[in-house]
Amino acid sequence: MAGIVYGLGPDYFVKFVEVDTPSMTLSLICPTKDPAPWVAAIKAIDSGIDLRVWPDDGDKADVTFALVWAQPQGIFAQYANLQVIASMGAGVDNLLKDSSIPEQTTVVRMVDPQLVSQMGDYVLAASLNHGRQFLNYAQQQQRRQWQPLAPQNMGDITVGVMGLGQIGNAVATRLVQVGFRTIGWSRRNKSIEKVQVFSGQQQLADFLAASEILVCLLPLTPETENILNAETLGQLPQGAYVINVARGNHLVEEDLLLLLNNDHLAGACLDVFRQEPLPQEHPFWRHTKVTITPHIASLTNPVSVAPQIVENYRRMQRKQPLMNQVDLRQGY
Ligand code: NAP
């Protein structure tokens, strides 16, 4: 697109120079999601944004801002003037696998109170289901068996939250409010009211040994891939319960099965899997100790996150620092 630069030349005459500047266009690249609600939510805030939807997004040289989910790998090489890539969700593991992300591009993600509170609801529901033995009662119901089980107080159960970021921190606080004894683990040490925080590899064993319910809310990075394995899960107390709401590749699924089958673990509630949808023949489907949900623990609501998308788009135009930037070196 042609732009005009006004300036004073060396001979003090005003010069009008035509230069090529990219127009500011936002393209949605989300082959597995319906773009319509996203387009509507963004347009409702700023109808002036030049908004396009891949693959019919016209001249790709116009596109400076890409809003993406499950993009075809390598696609960014087609966008010569890309300045910002925004993940439609909180996680960026799939996005960052793409080696075509241009070096000068800023990557941002969604940080959203609705996303956080939905995750709190899910973890709370799974923890209470386990704590109040609803899963055992469901099995007893199948057998028409009337058998009270020993009650447990929430204050006597320690929940360990792995990952104390935007979501994990709030989930830990929510667990405290409900009365669970709550501990957490993150890379760097931090302070959260009424939560004992462990940090780094050197404190992982102590954290695991105390976690009667383990909640995984880590980002998926080379350091955290396969972190839930026979060795780490084996360090949980006998009868512990595992809740994985982060990413499927955090969990070595065969190792979990082994520890469920030898009764080291009481059960697991899984929202994410190495392969999604979970294949029909997968042993998790029929396992009495496993509760499955189809990656719904917390879903991004376009209406709720549209303001931060538009704000970042405007900041890009004004060349200001963007919100919710991803640290590409750390991978989250
Ligand atoms: P975040 O703000 O980036 O926080 C990540 C946390 O993990 C931080 O506390 C970080 O430690 C910690 N961490 C990272 N690498 C670590 C390592 N090697 N060892 C120990 N701790 C490590 O992420 P978030 O927004 O809370 O989201 C977490 C994840 O939830 C997302 O990446 C996504 O995969 C998942 N998620 C799932 C769903 C769903 O529906 N199932 C929905 C939303 C999100 P520091 O604080 O020290 O940096």
Side-chain angles (χ1 to χ4, degrees), residues 253 272-287 292 294:
E253 294 177 343
V272 287
F273 303 89
R274 296 189 90 90
Q275 192 182 336
E276 295 178 5
L278 188 64
Q280 287 295 309
E281 66 282 4
H282 200 291
F284 283 162
W285 282 116
R286 297 173 67 82
H287 204 291
I292 288 170

Side-chain angles (χ1 to χ4, degrees), residues 63-263:
V63 176
T64 47
F65 192 117
L67 180 59
V68 306
W69 192 254
Q71 81 287 353
Q73 294 284 309
I75 196 157
F76 301 122
Q78 299 172 25
Y79 295 86
N81 295 309
L82 207 51
Q83 293 178 33
V84 180
I85 300 174
S87 165
M88 284 174 155
V92 289
D93 43 290
N94 184 53
L95 173 56
L96 297 192
K97 273 193 283 185
D98 198 318
S99 58
S100 71
I101 296 176
E103 239 173 56
Q104 78 286 357
T105 310
T106 305
V107 176
V108 297
R109 68 192 189 101
M110 298 304 153
V111 174
D112 176 52
Q114 269 194 27
L115 209 58
V116 169
S117 94
Q118 273 185 47
M119 188 62 88
D121 295 344
Y122 184 104
V123 170
L124 217 48
S127 302
L128 288 168
N129 260 342
H130 169 65
R132 292 309 311 262
Q133 310 218 40
F134 271 45
L135 305 171
N136 290 330
Y137 286 122
Q139 285 171 26
Q140 289 189 183
Q141 186 175 343
Q142 294 291 319
R143 300 190 291 269
R144 302 179 189 206
Q145 186 183 2
W146 182 275
Q147 177 62 58
L149 302 168
Q152 249 191 317
N153 293 317
M154 298 311 108
D156 295 333
I157 302 176
T158 301
V159 186
V161 181
M162 296 182 100
L164 297 170
Q166 294 291 337
I167 301 178
N169 193 317
V171 167
T173 301
R174 189 90 179 271
L175 289 160
V176 168
Q177 285 161 355
V178 172
F180 283 102
R181 213 162 40 208
T182 308
I183 61 176
W185 181 72
S186 58
R187 215 159 50 81
R188 294 162 290 197
N189 199 13
K190 49 180 53 72
S191 159
I192 307 174
E193 206 181 338
K194 296 191 178 155
V195 177
Q196 186 187 358
V197 175
F198 298 75
S199 59
Q201 281 302 321
Q202 63 287 359
Q203 294 185 359
L204 178 59
D206 289 343
F207 164 78
L208 292 169
S211 297
E212 291 162 305
I213 297 178
L214 181 73
V215 181
C216 182
L217 269 167
L218 290 165
L220 183 64
T221 67
E223 287 80 52
T224 64
E225 184 159 11
N226 298 326
I227 194 165
L228 305 177
N229 56 46
E231 192 189 335
T232 51
L233 297 176
Q235 292 173 59
L236 297 172
Q238 171 78 35
Y241 190 73
V242 174
I243 301 173
N244 187 17
V245 276
R247 285 291 182 263
N249 282 22
H250 284 125
L251 175 67
V252 181
E253 294 177 343
E254 316 81 76
D255 289 4
L256 176 73
L257 283 168
L258 198 82
L259 289 156
L260 289 170
N261 293 339
N262 72 13
D263 284 337

